[in-house]
């Protein structure tokens, strides 16, 4: 009897607990927010329409030479020839300076006499060794002496060649740093040669415009010194790193002109027009959701926001060109997309 009462009490307790939990669940569900599927979300919108997206940006810079080098000799000594003057145009391989080489020539001549003696000894030793009249070691020592002397001669010939200083490339002598008769040491600058057969126009391009440039792109260049002449250059380098102001150096190589010669330090300007159609269907940049590879927009149709994929083309700072996916006159959501799902009722504010 006692066991029966205990079981009944346990069943009653479990039933009471289940009833309490069920009531609590209903109370919690009653307090949970349930969005109204018919409640409209406030958004801002814009109309897809034809716009003139062509834009031109002018960038200023200065010309720098194609290359500049300080001529420094690899030998020291007195300058006996210096057939150059500042402003002179010289070709590649042209003599810049000649250093005194008399002592080196004397040393080479002495070593050549020594070498000749060793070679004569070698012939004699070869004959004597065949007749066992002298040890073979004498022959080996003479061969080694010949090799050592030949190496010394080659070393002196290299020093002799270094006394002749030539231009590594064609250019203009922009600075003369020594005079004939002066004594220079190894590595001391003698002259500076500048090549301006081509020049490099370096301009700083802001971050928002850097994508308008590509390596190899042909660009028209204007100068203050020849206001009526347009030069043609090619983008040769786009910096991979910008400065603190988010400007990126862009280098444009320009062939110099004999009719209108440019000089390093002159100012140049480029007017880079992005390749956009004058009239094209466009929407504000804020309307695009997703990524540039899979762009989408919310289009307002029948009071609801309908998510549609689009194909975008060129871009400016404020607008995207729409190639397909939208028709002119369509209303697109530009603000409030975070609160939207496909088919959400909306009201334009």
């Amino acid at each position: 009897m006692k066991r029966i009462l205990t079981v009944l009490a346990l069943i009653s307790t479990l039933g009471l607990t289940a009833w309490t939990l069920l009531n609590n669940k209903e109370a919690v569900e009653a307090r949970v927010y349930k969005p109204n599927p018919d409640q409209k979300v406030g958004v801002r919108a814009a109309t897809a329409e034809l716009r003139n997206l062509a834009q031109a940006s002018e960038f200023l810079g200065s010309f720098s030479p194609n290359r500049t080098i300080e001529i420094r000799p690899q030998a020291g000594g007195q300058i006996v020839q210096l057939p150059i003057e500042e402003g002179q145009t010289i070709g590649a391989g042209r003599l810049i300076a000649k250093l005194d080489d008399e002592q080196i020539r004397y040393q080479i001549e002495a070593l050549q006499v020594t070498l000749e003696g060793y070679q004569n000894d070698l012939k004699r030793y070869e004959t004597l060794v065949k007749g066992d009249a002298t040890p073979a070691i004498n022959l080996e020592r003479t061969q080694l002496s010949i090799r050592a002397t030949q190496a010394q001669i080659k070393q002196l010939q290299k020093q002799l060649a270094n006394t002749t200083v030539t231009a590594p490339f064609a250019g203009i002598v922009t600075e003369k740093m020594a005079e004939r008769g002066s004594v220079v040491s190894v590595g001391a600058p003698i002259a500076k040669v500048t090549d301006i057969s081509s020049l490099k126009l370096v301009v700083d391009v802001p971050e928002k415009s850097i994508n308008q440039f590509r390596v190899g792109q042909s660009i028209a260049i204007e100068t203050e010194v020849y206001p009526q002449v347009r030069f043609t250059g090619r983008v040769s380098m786009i910096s991979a790193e910008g400065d603190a102001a988010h400007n990126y150096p862009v280098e444009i190589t320009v062939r110099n002109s004999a009719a209108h010669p440019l000089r390093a330090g002159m100012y140049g300007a480029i007017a880079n027009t992005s390749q956009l159609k004058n009239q094209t269907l466009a929407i504000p940049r804020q309307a695009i959701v997703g990524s540039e590879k899979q762009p989408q927009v919310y289009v307002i149709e029948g009071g609801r926001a309908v998510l549609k994929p689009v194909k975008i083309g060129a871009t400016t700072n404020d607008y995207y060109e729409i190639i397909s996916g939208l028709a002119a006159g369509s209303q697109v959501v530009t603000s409030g997309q975070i609160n939207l799902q496909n088919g959400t009722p909306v009201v334009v504010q």
Side-chain angles (χ1 to χ4, degrees):
M1 185 66 179
K2 186 176 181 179
R3 291 181 61 186
I4 296 175
L5 292 174
T6 302
V7 172
L8 291 175
L10 181 59
I11 293 173
S12 299
T13 302
L14 292 174
L16 180 61
T17 302
W19 180 79
T20 302
L21 291 175
L22 183 60
N23 284 342
N24 289 341
K25 180 181 178 182
E26 292 176 352
V28 170
E29 289 179 350
R31 290 197 298 268
V32 172
Y33 170 75
K34 295 181 179 179
N36 183 357
D38 296 324
Q39 183 176 358
K40 295 184 178 182
V41 176
V43 297
R44 293 182 180 178
T47 302
E49 57 187 0
L50 296 177
R51 287 183 176 272
N52 184 350
L53 296 186
Q55 61 176 6
S57 302
E58 185 176 67
F59 303 101
L60 301 176
S62 59
F63 290 102
S64 60
N66 181 41
R67 47 188 173 173
T68 299
I69 189 173
E70 284 188 346
I71 307 297
R72 299 172 181 265
Q74 299 182 44
Q78 185 181 33
I79 299 177
V80 294
Q81 295 182 48
L82 192 67
I84 58 170
E85 296 295 338
E86 289 187 2
Q88 179 181 356
T89 300
I90 59 175
R94 168 69 184 272
L95 179 67
I96 297 294
K98 177 63 179 175
L99 305 181
D100 183 16
D101 60 6
E102 191 173 13
Q103 291 296 327
I104 297 176
R105 292 184 181 276
Y106 288 155
Q107 294 178 49
I108 292 175
E109 184 177 353
L111 285 174
Q112 286 174 338
V113 172
T114 301
L115 177 62
E116 185 178 349
Y118 284 141
Q119 289 171 339
N120 292 333
D121 290 343
L122 180 64
K123 293 178 182 179
R124 286 193 294 268
Y125 283 134
E126 286 175 343
T127 302
L128 293 173
V129 167
K130 289 179 181 179
D132 293 329
T134 188
I137 190 172
N138 292 331
L139 177 63
E140 294 176 359
R141 287 175 178 172
T142 303
Q143 290 173 333
L144 292 175
S145 296
I146 290 175
R147 290 174 59 187
T149 305
Q150 288 173 335
Q152 292 177 36
I153 292 175
K154 289 180 180 179
Q155 185 178 16
L156 287 173
Q157 287 174 338
K158 175 64 175 177
Q159 294 179 19
L160 180 64
N162 288 339
T163 62
T164 301
V165 184
T166 58
F169 52 79
I172 298 173
V173 179
T174 51
E175 192 172 354
K176 183 179 175 183
M177 306 173 187
E179 294 295 337
R180 180 180 176 183
S182 59
V183 177
V184 295
S185 58
V186 176
I190 294 178
K192 181 183 290 186
V193 176
T194 302
D195 175 17
I196 58 171
S197 58
S198 296
L199 295 108
K200 299 173 182 177
L201 178 65
V202 181
V203 297
D204 288 330
V205 178
E207 178 181 5
K208 65 181 181 180
S209 301
I210 193 64
N211 288 335
Q212 297 179 21
F213 297 85
R214 67 183 185 278
V215 174
Q217 177 181 359
S218 179
I219 292 182
I221 297 175
E222 299 175 348
T223 62
E224 293 183 356
V225 67
Y226 303 115
Q228 306 301 323
V229 179
R230 301 198 88 183
F231 296 87
T232 300
R234 289 191 176 276
V235 176
S236 53
M237 187 277 295
I238 300 175
S239 177
E241 183 178 3
D243 58 19
H246 298 274
N247 292 322
Y248 293 80
V250 174
E251 181 181 277
I252 302 159
T253 301
V254 185
R255 291 291 301 175
N256 212 338
S257 167
H260 304 93
L262 297 171
R263 299 179 183 274
M266 289 182 174
Y267 288 108
I270 61 174
N272 188 49
T273 302
S274 58
Q275 302 299 315
L276 300 180
K277 302 173 184 178
N278 288 336
Q279 290 292 322
T280 185
L281 185 64
I283 61 174
R285 295 176 65 96
Q286 298 88 340
I288 298 294
V289 296
S291 65
E292 289 193 3
K293 291 184 178 179
Q294 294 180 328
Q296 297 174 304
V297 295
Y298 281 105
V299 182
I300 300 176
E301 295 180 351
R304 294 181 180 273
V306 180
L307 188 61
K308 292 186 175 183
V310 294
K311 184 177 180 181
I312 60 177
T315 177
T316 68
N317 295 334
D318 301 314
Y319 291 94
Y320 271 116
E321 177 191 13
I322 300 299
I323 298 176
S324 63
L326 282 181
S330 299
Q331 271 196 313
V332 295
V333 178
T334 58
S335 178
Q337 295 99 320
I338 193 173
N339 299 317
L340 300 181
Q341 295 181 353
N342 189 22
T344 301
V346 293
V347 59
V348 179
Q349 296 178 338

